[in-house]
């Protein structure tokens, strides 16, 4: 099917769907379930699994039409469906797709990500959480950390060490973990904002059915890359929020602060910096749109690390500028209230600027640190020589660890 025919086909499918389904009279779960059944959940997924088998960029067309019809935006806690969904549809069995995708999209089952460990953050492939085969089950022992929303999740994307006697990238296996299973313990980690959206998760003799293994045994690294690429894409483009992109992006928050201020704060040098931030936000927005138009496959490539890196560093610069504009009010925690509508794009509407300033510190860590992303960009996008790695071919069990 040609590109134009795909666009027409999706447009007609949306029109037909909205003619029969009114989001104003249906619950969100019912409406999203009907969307899934009509192939309008992830339109690039196969028919029968929430999609129509068309170009992934047409998801934006569907989102806009649904939003214009009054459909509620996705719950922020459903962020991880942007990671788990593509991973399961790429590496999972048809039975797993049938079991997990629909309740994931409706929000009836929430997911979290169980990747990083105390000794394997930047070096994710060095993870030590052990999975030992026991008939039709696996026994899992280990610890994960910095697990966003794990305390709310029904399922976790879990990567384990299933064979310690081969190189670290080859001995990993990926599972869907029931977060309510015996032996799973979730402990909150308090953040600088005062919240505890991050957690650490302990697994003690947790039995995981082999039916919940995503992909082949020992192929967890490949499945993990799919998750990570989609995570960076979702964070870098803001696609998980479902919000309509605005000119200037999050820099509009700084513009709103500027308009509310008067007096000595509005210096020529600060106005120049404000405009530089607005232009930088607009360049980021247009770059993401261009990347989306160019995408021809369902899973993004390493280029999305550019968007994630820029998003992280831009947000820190932006909200530091906002706090600087507030002067002493920003330092003492004054809850600045806008007289005009605005959004704090990096954190969600309704939060204070002080909250945003603190919360965006995490942007350069979550989804891959800025330092690691620069390595990825250098090696995988620019083709520069990689960092020396003396442990790449060693069995994991022989690699020294702290």
């Amino acid at each position: 099917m040609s590109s134009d025919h795909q666009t027409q086909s999706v447009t007609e499918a949306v029109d037909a769907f909205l003619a029969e389904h009114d989001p104003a009279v249906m619950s969100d779960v019912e409406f999203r379930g009907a969307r899934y059944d009509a192939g309008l959940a992830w339109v690039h997924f196969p028919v029968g699994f929430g999609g129509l088998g068309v170009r992934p960029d047409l998801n934006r067309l569907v989102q806009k039409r649904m939003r214009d019809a009054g459909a509620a935006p996705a719950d922020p806690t459903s962020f991880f469906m942007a990671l788990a969904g593509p991973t399961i549809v790429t590496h999972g069995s048809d039975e797993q797709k049938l079991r997990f995708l629909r309740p994931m999209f409706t929000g009836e089952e929430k997911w979290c990500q169980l990747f990083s460990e105390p000794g394997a953050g930047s070096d994710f492939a060095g993870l030590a959480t052990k999975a030992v085969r026991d008939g039709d089950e696996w026994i899992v022992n280990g610890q994960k950390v910095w697990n966003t929303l794990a305390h709310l999740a029904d399922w976790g994307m879990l990567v384990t060490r299933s064979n310690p006697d081969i190189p670290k990238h080859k001995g990993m296996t990926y599972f869907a973990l029931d977060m309510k299973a015996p032996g799973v313990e979730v402990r909150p980690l308090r953040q600088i904002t005062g919240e505890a959206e991050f957690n650490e998760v302990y697994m003690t003799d947790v039995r995981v059915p082999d039916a919940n293994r995503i992909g082949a045994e020992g192929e967890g690294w490949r499945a993990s890359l799919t998750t990570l690429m989609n995570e960076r894409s979702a964070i870098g483009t803001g696609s998980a929020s479902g919000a309509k992109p605005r000119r200037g992006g999050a820099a509009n928050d700084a513009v709103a602060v500027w308009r509310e201020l008067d007096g000595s704060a509005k210096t020529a040098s600060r106005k120049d910096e404000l405009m530089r931030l607005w232009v930088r936000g607009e360049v980021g927005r247009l770059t993401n749109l261009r990347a989306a138009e160019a995408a021809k496959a369902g899973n993004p490539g390493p280029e999305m690390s550019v968007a994630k890196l820029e998003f992280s560093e831009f947000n820190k610069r932006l909200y530091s500028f906002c706090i600087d504009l507030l002067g002493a009010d920003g330092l003492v925690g004054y809850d600045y209230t806008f007289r005009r509508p605005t959004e704090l794009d990096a954190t969600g509407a309704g939060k204070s600027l002080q909250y945003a300033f603190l919360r965006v510190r995490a942007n350069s860590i979550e989804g891959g640190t800025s330092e690691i992303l620069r390595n990825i960009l250098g090696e995988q996008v620019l083709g520069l020589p990689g960092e020396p790695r003396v442990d790449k071919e060693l069995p994991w069990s022989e690699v020294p660890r702290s």
Side-chain angles (χ1 to χ4, degrees), residues 37 118 121 126 148 164 189 217 234 247 256 268 303 312 352 359 378 394 401:
D37 296 339
T148 306
L189 293 171
E217 179 181 344
R247 291 181 62 197
E303 294 81 7
S312 302
S352 71
R359 178 59 181 81
L394 286 177
R401 285 177 296 280

Side-chain angles (χ1 to χ4, degrees), residues 205-346:
D205 294 331
V206 179
R207 289 191 168 269
V208 181
D210 186 59
N212 289 357
R213 172 173 44 81
I214 308 298
E217 179 181 344
E219 292 294 324
W221 177 250
R222 290 182 58 214
S224 299
L225 289 180
T226 301
T227 304
L228 291 170
M229 288 189 295
N230 280 281
E231 179 181 29
R232 290 160 189 164
S233 177
I235 293 175
T237 63
S239 63
S241 68
K244 183 178 180 179
R246 300 175 298 154
R247 291 181 62 197
N252 289 314
D253 295 331
V255 173
V257 176
W258 180 271
R259 287 173 173 168
E260 296 296 314
L261 293 177
D262 50 34
S264 60
K266 294 185 174 183
T267 64
S269 62
R270 280 179 166 168
K271 185 175 183 180
D272 182 67
E273 185 175 1
L274 171 64
M275 293 311 301
R276 288 177 183 272
L277 286 168
W278 195 92
V279 169
R280 183 172 171 180
E282 179 67 356
V283 168
R285 184 183 73 86
L286 294 174
T287 299
N288 287 338
L289 288 176
R290 187 168 62 248
E293 291 292 338
K296 298 299 182 183
N299 292 312
E303 294 81 7
M304 289 314 303
S305 295
V306 175
K308 196 276 178 183
L309 176 62
E310 169 60 12
F311 172 89
S312 302
E313 301 305 315
F314 171 70
N315 277 336
K316 290 194 293 185
R317 176 80 174 272
L318 173 72
Y319 290 105
S320 293
F321 174 77
C322 290
I323 294 297
D324 286 344
L325 281 179
L326 293 178
D329 284 342
L331 293 175
V332 299
Y334 175 73
D335 190 7
Y336 193 83
T337 303
F338 295 109
R339 292 194 294 271
R340 296 182 177 88
T342 186
E343 298 175 23
L344 297 182
D345 290 8

Side-chain angles (χ1 to χ4, degrees), residues 109-252:
E109 292 181 349
K110 293 181 170 57
W111 286 69
C112 68
Q113 187 177 2
L114 303 174
F115 277 34
S116 294
E117 298 182 5
S122 297
D123 181 21
F124 169 56
L127 61 85
T129 293
K130 184 189 301 184
V132 178
R133 186 73 179 257
D134 183 26
D136 291 334
E137 296 180 316
W138 295 77
I139 301 174
V140 176
N141 285 277
Q143 176 188 357
K144 299 291 181 175
V145 73
W146 307 121
N147 311 119
T148 306
L149 302 179
H151 60 300
L152 302 177
D154 301 291
W155 293 92
M157 295 168 275
L158 172 67
V159 187
T160 65
R161 175 70 50 199
S162 56
N163 188 342
D165 298 322
I166 58 178
K168 58 185 180 181
H169 291 84
K170 300 178 182 179
M172 302 160 66
T173 299
Y174 195 118
F175 296 97
L177 174 70
D178 181 355
M179 295 298 291
K180 307 299 189 296
V184 178
E185 180 185 2
V186 180
R187 299 181 187 176
L189 293 171
R190 191 66 56 185
Q191 301 156 230
I192 194 173
T193 61
E195 298 175 309
E197 62 178 303
F198 300 131
N199 303 269
E200 51 187 349
V201 177
Y202 293 84
M203 292 153 287
T204 306
D205 294 331
V206 179
R207 289 191 168 269
V208 181
D210 186 59
N212 289 357
R213 172 173 44 81
I214 308 298
E217 179 181 344
E219 292 294 324
W221 177 250
R222 290 182 58 214
S224 299
L225 289 180
T226 301
T227 304
L228 291 170
M229 288 189 295
N230 280 281
E231 179 181 29
R232 290 160 189 164
S233 177
I235 293 175
T237 63
S239 63
S241 68
K244 183 178 180 179
R246 300 175 298 154
R247 291 181 62 197
N252 289 314

